[in-house]
Amino acid sequence: MTTCNTPTAVTGPFYDELHVKYIVSLGHKLDSPSSYEGAVTEHLRMSGVYWSLAALSLLRSTEEVDAFMGLTKSIVVEGDEKLPARPAIVDWVFACYDEKSGGFGGNCSGAIDESPCPHDAHLLYTLSALQILAIADCLDDERLNKDAVEKFVTGLQNEDGSFSGDKWGEIDTRFTYCAFSCLALLGRLPLPNWEESSHNSTTVTEKRDGTIDIYKAVRYILSCRNSFDGGFGSVPGAESHAGQVFCCIGALSISHSLHLLNENEGGADLLSWWLAERQCDSGGLNGRPEKQADVCYSWWILSALSILGKVNWIDTSKLALFILNCQDEDDGGIADRPNDMPDVYHTFFGLSGLSLIGELGKFCDPDRRKYREIDPVFALPSDVVQRVGLTAQVMSASTV
């Protein structure tokens, strides 16, 4: 077993090769007909594949990810040479495309070469699909109907500026982030011009047919902010939650509207203090007061603090130790907290947390391997964000 443990301020081994093995083997395990985990996660497989690819992409190069996972070409699973080659992930993504709605489902039924039936389209899975295509450098694939996907996203915006996740109508600030991210990846996000006085109010503004009303969408996000702690909830008046905070701050960043945080008393600092107070005695972060620390908040909170320029408001060394203590030293992967079972969701967000605080790159000799960095806004490797040409607004780092 190989570990990476170049001396740093943070002690404890990092199980590089075990994490890679865990991620690469996960897809085959979930595909097994006897897999309980595969059955209960079938409906969200698109997001699971994105978490896997994004996690592996932080540890390995684009070429290695393709070779290990079969991103753009079919592969034969090691140990199962008698079985047919597994189709390329990109081909499977397009098999999950719902032509009737214009969005992507979380999975599809049937073999992808035998008229597969995609699950109902949803914004969550449409974003995961586009993120996978971005990692694979396939956003210009002729099978991607950008006009139809844009129409799907735009059609989910409600009169008050909010977004529903799908045709069934659930509203959540998560879906605003998904909508903005999808349109940004497609190159179809209309950016606001806040310098025009007519747009500095809550009055209805004109918008081009076929696009979202970006002004109403941003104002809806701000209406979900709680004045007493500076946080954001899923809808107006809902409890502040770190996951919702990321979605709202990320959406404001993507729409170049982050400066509007300072319209309210307390501004960005009030929110930053609430986020910093989520650090527990263990060094980990929780999502709201009186809850246990969980590795996933290493992403939800650190990404928001990174956008706000306030990462130094928490003890990053203690957080890094908490994440390292959540590793599975036998099989690889990262769990929600120490001694629990690992899963790919927490593995991705644990690795992302280490990346955001600058610790991930310290574990290996740069002459041997260089880890890629995560972008705090788009949750993609930074080199992918640069290649696609994505832009966002962030605040300068605090010196407090």
Side-chain angles (χ1 to χ4, degrees):
M1 177 178 66
T2 300
T3 64
C4 296
N5 194 23
T6 300
T8 69
V10 177
T11 59
F14 178 72
Y15 302 105
D16 171 276
E17 292 187 7
L18 280 179
H19 293 325
V20 171
K21 182 179 179 181
Y22 170 78
I23 296 167
V24 171
S25 65
L26 190 60
H28 176 55
K29 292 178 180 178
L30 294 179
D31 285 338
S32 171
S34 61
S35 171
Y36 171 77
E37 293 85 354
V40 298
T41 61
E42 178 185 11
H43 65 290
L44 50 74
R45 186 63 60 85
M46 186 69 73
S47 292
V49 171
Y50 154 67
W51 296 326
S52 299
L53 289 172
L56 189 60
S57 293
L58 295 181
L59 302 178
R60 295 294 184 266
S61 67
T62 301
E63 295 73 22
E64 289 174 300
V65 171
D66 199 358
F68 282 137
M69 302 288 283
L71 184 54
T72 63
K73 54 183 177 293
S74 62
I75 60 172
V76 175
V77 178
E78 185 177 350
D80 282 330
E81 288 77 7
K82 295 182 179 179
L83 295 177
R86 189 169 67 189
I89 289 175
V90 166
D91 293 336
W92 170 79
V93 168
F94 283 113
C96 297
Y97 175 67
D98 180 12
E99 294 183 353
K100 295 180 180 179
S101 67
F104 289 84
N107 207 334
C108 63
S109 301
I112 68 172
D113 56 351
E114 298 178 4
S115 300
C117 180
H119 292 188
D120 289 346
H122 195 287
L123 262 179
L124 290 171
Y125 306 128
T126 298
L127 174 56
S128 292
L130 294 178
Q131 289 170 317
I132 292 170
L133 295 178
I135 292 173
D137 196 12
C138 290
L139 285 173
D140 291 326
D141 191 299
E142 62 182 8
R143 291 172 290 182
L144 180 60
N145 188 335
K146 294 185 179 181
D147 291 339
V149 177
E150 179 186 16
K151 184 177 180 180
F152 168 73
V153 174
T154 301
L156 292 172
Q157 187 174 29
N158 301 302
E159 182 60 31
D160 62 357
S162 65
F163 282 85
S164 299
D166 58 15
K167 63 182 180 180
W168 306 111
E170 179 189 6
I171 296 173
D172 192 304
T173 45
R174 290 178 301 156
F175 306 147
T176 300
Y177 172 81
C178 290
F180 284 14
S181 294
C182 286
L183 295 177
L185 285 163
L186 294 171
R188 305 290 179 89
L189 180 68
L191 293 179
N193 180 2
W194 294 109
E195 294 181 358
E196 295 184 15
S197 59
S198 62
H199 295 152
N200 286 321
S201 68
T202 56
T203 57
V204 177
T205 57
E206 295 295 326
K207 73 181 184 74
R208 179 172 63 84
D209 289 342
T211 65
I212 63 170
D213 189 323
I214 191 69
Y215 297 99
K216 292 175 71 174
V218 168
R219 287 298 177 191
Y220 178 80
I221 295 171
L222 295 174
S223 75
C224 296
R225 189 178 189 191
N226 295 312
S227 59
F228 64 93
D229 61 15
F232 290 84
S234 57
V235 294
E239 178 186 13
S240 295
H241 189 282
Q244 308 299 149
V245 168
F246 162 74
C247 291
C248 292
I249 295 302
L252 291 175
S253 176
I254 294 170
S255 61
H256 293 234
S257 302
L258 199 60
H259 60 284
L260 297 180
L261 280 176
N262 291 319
E263 283 189 347
N264 297 332
E265 184 177 356
D269 282 359
L270 179 61
L271 171 58
S272 298
W273 277 120
W274 185 86
L275 290 170
E277 289 173 348
R278 303 278 61 76
Q279 188 159 33
C280 303
D281 292 342
S282 63
L285 302 167
N286 63 24
R288 48 197 170 122
E290 305 301 325
K291 295 295 182 179
Q292 292 189 66
D294 187 315
V295 159
C296 71
Y297 295 111
S298 304
W299 165 258
W300 302 120
I301 290 177
L302 271 178
S303 55
L305 287 174
S306 295
I307 295 169
L308 297 171
K310 301 292 193 301
V311 170
N312 62 334
W313 283 23
I314 64 170
D315 189 329
T316 55
S317 293
K318 287 185 66 176
L319 175 59
L321 282 173
F322 175 79
I323 298 172
L324 292 176
N325 287 335
C326 294
Q327 297 178 105
D328 187 318
E329 62 183 20
D330 296 318
D331 299 317
I334 301 175
D336 56 350
R337 48 187 65 94
N339 301 316
D340 281 357
M341 291 292 293
D343 59 74
V344 71
Y345 173 85
H346 290 92
T347 299
F348 170 47
F349 289 132
L351 294 175
S352 296
L354 292 173
S355 176
L356 287 173
I357 57 179
E359 291 293 337
L360 185 60
K362 297 179 180 179
F363 291 117
C364 276
D365 183 349
D367 293 332
R368 175 177 175 268
R369 182 179 306 284
K370 184 177 180 180
Y371 289 145
R372 298 157 76 181
E373 297 180 352
I374 192 72
D375 182 87
V377 179
F378 294 99
L380 290 167
S382 296
D383 59 289
V384 173
V385 171
Q386 294 171 7
R387 169 166 48 77
V388 176
L390 300 174
T391 63
Q393 183 185 38
V394 297
M395 294 184 174
S396 59
S398 169
T399 57
V400 175

